[in-house]
Amino acid sequence: MAANDLKGRSVLAIVSTYGVEQDELLVPVGHLRDNGATVDVAATADEPVRTLVGDKDPGKTVQPDTTLDEVEPSGYDLLLIPGGTLNADTLRQDGRAVAAVESFALTERPVAAICHGPWTVVEAGAARGKMLTSYPSLRTDIRNAGGDWVDQPVVSDSTGGWTLITSRRPADLDAFLRETEKALVTAP
């Protein structure tokens, strides 16, 4: 993709302040920004975001652009939910994060979730009738929520009028970014 192909498009990335998988946040945010998209990172609190590598090793610290309290999800073209077990577990218990997923699904705007990120999609009731992938430990949660879990690097499902892009792990980021870009270019 050439630089500025995503100019005029906006992405909301939602994270907790501790435990987001470093590459699942920084790689997509950097890639989308490099290709012209505006990306805002909204955290659960107004404090630095401490990332982890492999759910255990300290990663980079990121300053969020805004908070879940301050952000208005309706102003964005795509929702990005990075993984990290601790991050995803915190987000699925946060009503603001769940409401963001509900807002995107109801207004038929794309959601891109990687690794444990689909937990928030499950919590929002948005996995029902969708085919998706995730870190393998979410398989039963997704199936119990009415989703069809498959073990593939990336899945893009537009069932129900809105696109859900899911991926398994950092090693699948290239495929995840390819599908995320496609959804962002064609977003309403």
Side-chain angles (χ1 to χ4, degrees):
M1 175 162 280
N4 294 323
D5 282 356
L6 300 176
K7 190 170 179 69
R9 293 305 197 168
S10 60
V11 176
L12 174 62
I14 58 173
V15 297
S16 67
T17 57
Y18 182 78
V20 64
E21 183 67 30
Q22 174 183 280
D23 286 353
E24 293 171 2
L25 173 63
L26 296 182
V27 171
V29 167
H31 179 85
L32 294 169
R33 285 178 177 164
D34 287 349
N35 285 290
T38 299
V39 182
D40 289 334
V41 176
T44 52
D46 188 16
E47 56 189 66
V49 174
R50 300 273 323 266
T51 70
L52 294 177
V53 176
D55 272 344
K56 60 183 173 23
D57 296 323
K60 295 180 180 176
T61 299
V62 176
Q63 189 61 45
D65 300 297
T66 187
T67 66
L68 291 176
D69 281 333
E70 297 168 341
V71 75
E72 177 49 57
S74 65
Y76 295 88
D77 299 309
L78 181 136
L79 179 65
L80 173 67
I81 311 171
T85 308
L86 296 173
N87 174 66
D89 193 45
T90 299
L91 289 178
R92 72 179 176 156
Q93 297 177 70
D94 189 305
R96 302 165 301 180
V98 172
V101 174
E102 291 169 343
S103 170
F104 275 80
L106 286 171
T107 57
E108 300 182 344
R109 292 172 292 146
V111 174
I114 186 169
C115 196
H116 288 78
W119 259 342
T120 309
V121 175
V122 165
E123 195 64 34
R128 181 165 303 286
K130 293 282 198 183
M131 179 181 290
L132 59 159
T133 194
S134 67
Y135 193 78
S137 64
L138 276 66
R139 175 181 47 240
T140 300
D141 294 335
I142 289 167
R143 288 179 176 157
N144 287 342
D148 182 15
W149 188 88
V150 295
D151 186 13
Q152 295 177 5
V154 67
V155 174
S156 181
D157 187 329
S158 296
T159 303
W162 65 281
T163 302
L164 175 62
I165 302 106
T166 52
S167 203
R168 301 174 301 189
R169 57 183 58 98
D172 299 328
L173 277 166
D174 287 343
F176 180 69
L177 289 171
R178 182 186 67 243
E179 294 301 317
T180 299
E181 288 173 359
K182 284 182 195 175
L184 189 53
V185 166
T186 60

